[in-house]
């Protein structure tokens, strides 16, 4: 990472500085069918990706989603989703939990 990108970021170095940043990646796809075990199967050609170096954590008490959670929601809506899937960052943030089993036709990793 460039020094100017790390300026002011707390890190794990002995002096408190940072040498790296965390990148987030999300794969989004539609899944209108399920396999014989009941797991969603991706629709061919429906997968898109979004990635960024930005905050993803959203607490249950936050009024707004974190920047990466908003990014994921925008990408899902662009792909045709009208509401966040049960396992999406925004749905998890609104429930205040970190995992769930998918039940909607739109799934997020």
């Amino acid at each position: 990472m460039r020094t100017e990108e790390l300026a002011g970021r707390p890190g794990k170095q002995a002096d408190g500085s940072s040498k790296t940043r965390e990148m987030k990646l999300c794969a989004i796809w539609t899944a209108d069918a399920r396999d014989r075990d009941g797991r969603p199967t991706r629709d061919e050609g429906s997968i898109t990706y979004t990635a960024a170096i930005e905050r993803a954590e959203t607490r249950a008490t936050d009024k707004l989603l974190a920047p990466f959670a908003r990014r994921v929601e925008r990408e899902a809506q662009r792909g045709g989703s009208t509401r966040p899937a049960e396992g999406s960052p925004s749905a998890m943030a609104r429930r205040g939990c970190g995992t769930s089993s998918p039940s909607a036709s739109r799934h997020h990793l």
Side-chain angles (χ1 to χ4, degrees):
M1 293 289 314
R2 294 181 180 165
T3 305
E4 60 270 15
E5 293 291 328
L6 299 170
R9 300 265 178 201
K12 297 178 183 176
Q13 303 304 306
D15 65 357
S17 66
S18 178
K19 291 175 87 176
T20 62
R21 299 273 312 272
E22 180 179 283
M23 188 194 95
K24 284 89 174 167
L25 171 67
C26 181
I28 301 168
W29 66 90
T30 58
D32 292 326
R34 294 184 180 265
D35 66 14
R36 65 178 173 203
D37 296 323
R39 293 182 299 236
T41 57
R42 277 181 259 172
D43 297 332
E44 189 172 332
S46 70
I47 194 162
T48 61
Y49 301 91
T50 186
I53 298 175
E54 56 193 15
R55 192 171 65 83
E57 178 188 14
T58 302
R59 294 175 297 274
T61 57
D62 289 345
K63 297 205 185 307
L64 296 173
L65 295 174
F68 190 72
R70 289 193 308 262
R71 173 187 294 275
V72 170
E73 268 204 340
R74 282 191 309 270
E75 183 64 20
Q77 289 168 352
R78 188 188 69 75
S81 179
T82 58
R83 65 184 177 88
E86 190 173 319
S88 73
S90 58
M92 289 187 287
R94 289 188 177 108
R95 284 196 321 272
C97 62
T99 60
S100 69
S101 59
S103 64
S105 64
R106 189 84 181 168
H107 303 281
H108 306 265
L109 277 182

